[in-house]
């Protein structure tokens, strides 16, 4: 079983767990750690009563600095949100096929005499709903090149430097745990040592 929840990076002179915007997560058991350059990481397991996107935007407003986060679905796919006070918010999807697989489930049919159900992945209604959601995600995030362009602006506002081509590559990386894909994206955008186990203490 993989991880379900939010991983995020923020900058603040205060410890992440003392931010008002993160008080709900902190009360429910949020992990936090420090990176260099003033960055902090947080990780919180999914709670259906908390909107991760709203929380991250509130963190950006409270700190008046850029924030980057991802909602991870069973370590298979993730929805990404970046936000900064100047350029606003941008969104992306990592491992989109895996995200679709979690959000749209195929029809299951039980047949007498069989111990396991048949998964009807060619069901027309299932395929139609999957494509509808794919279109919705594409419209929400925009083409990957546009997402990368906005992410590069985010990186500049964070005092870092990123190249559009490298960001496109990070956004379209596949294979392995999606947390590692997100960490690669964070490093590409300039967040140094974006891993909890290798982050230096400040």
């Amino acid at each position: 079983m993989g991880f379900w929840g939010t991983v995020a990076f923020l900058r603040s002179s205060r410890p992440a767990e003392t931010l008002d915007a993160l008080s709900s997560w902190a009360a429910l058991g949020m992990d936090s750690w420090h990176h260099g350059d003033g960055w902090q990481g947080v990780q919180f397991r999914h709670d259906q009563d908390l909107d991760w996107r709203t929380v991250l935007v509130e963190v950006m407003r409270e700190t008046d600095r850029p924030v980057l986060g991802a909602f991870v679905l069973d370590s298979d796919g993730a929805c990404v949100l970046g936000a900064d006070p100047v350029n606003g918010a941008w969104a992306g999807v990592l491992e989109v096929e895996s995200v679709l697989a979690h959000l749209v489930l195929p029809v299951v049919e039980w047949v007498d005499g069989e111990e396991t159900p048949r998964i009807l992945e060619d069901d027309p209604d299932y395929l139609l709903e999957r494509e509808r959601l794919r279109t919705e995600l594409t419209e929400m995030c925009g083409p990957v090149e546009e997402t990368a362009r906005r992410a590069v602006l985010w990186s500049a506002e964070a005092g870092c430097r990123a190249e559009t081509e490298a960001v496109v590559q990070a956004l379209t990386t596949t294979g392995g745990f999606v947390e590692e894909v997100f960490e690669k994206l964070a490093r590409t955008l300039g967040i140094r040592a974006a891993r909890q186990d290798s982050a230096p203490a400040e």
Side-chain angles (χ1 to χ4, degrees):
M1 188 100 180
F3 173 71
W4 284 84
T6 302
V7 181
F9 300 104
L10 60 97
R11 293 181 103 168
S12 174
S13 59
R14 294 166 50 191
E17 59 270 18
T18 67
L19 294 175
D20 292 340
L22 292 175
S23 59
S24 297
W25 287 2
L28 293 174
M30 178 185 73
D31 293 327
S32 63
W33 61 95
H34 288 276
H35 296 294
D37 303 324
W39 287 99
Q40 298 179 60
V42 297
Q43 179 171 295
F44 173 74
R45 289 198 173 274
H46 177 55
D47 185 297
Q48 62 183 6
D49 295 324
L50 294 175
D51 185 335
W52 67 280
R53 292 164 297 190
T54 298
V55 171
L56 292 183
V57 171
E58 289 176 351
V59 168
M60 181 268 291
R61 289 172 177 164
E62 183 175 350
T63 62
D64 198 36
R65 293 182 176 180
V67 64
L68 177 70
F71 178 66
V72 177
L73 292 82
D74 202 23
S75 294
D76 294 327
C79 298
V80 175
L81 177 73
D84 72 72
V86 174
N87 301 295
W90 55 272
V93 180
L94 304 177
E95 299 276 15
V96 64
E97 296 302 325
S98 295
V99 170
L100 291 171
H102 280 289
L103 297 182
V104 185
L105 301 179
V107 176
V108 175
E109 182 181 75
W110 287 91
V111 179
D112 291 342
E114 295 185 6
E115 295 183 357
T116 57
R118 297 178 182 177
I119 310 299
L120 306 182
E121 294 186 342
D122 58 351
D123 179 78
D125 290 337
Y126 162 70
L127 294 175
L128 185 63
E129 178 62 15
R130 188 180 174 99
E131 289 310 305
R132 184 198 65 78
L133 183 58
R134 186 195 302 278
T135 300
E136 187 175 298
L137 288 173
T138 300
E139 290 177 349
M140 179 182 73
C141 301
V144 67
E145 292 80 9
E146 175 62 14
T147 301
R149 184 190 69 80
R150 298 194 66 185
V152 167
L153 293 176
W154 178 96
S155 178
E157 187 61 26
C160 305
R161 171 181 281 186
E163 299 294 334
T164 302
E165 184 177 343
V167 177
V168 169
Q169 183 180 18
L171 286 167
T172 55
T173 295
T174 59
F177 293 106
V178 79
E179 293 98 314
E180 296 174 354
V181 178
F182 178 57
E183 288 162 359
K184 176 183 178 181
L185 173 63
R187 291 193 300 272
T188 301
L189 292 174
I191 301 177
R192 183 166 60 89
R195 291 185 64 90
Q196 181 174 1
D197 57 7
S198 63
E202 291 189 324

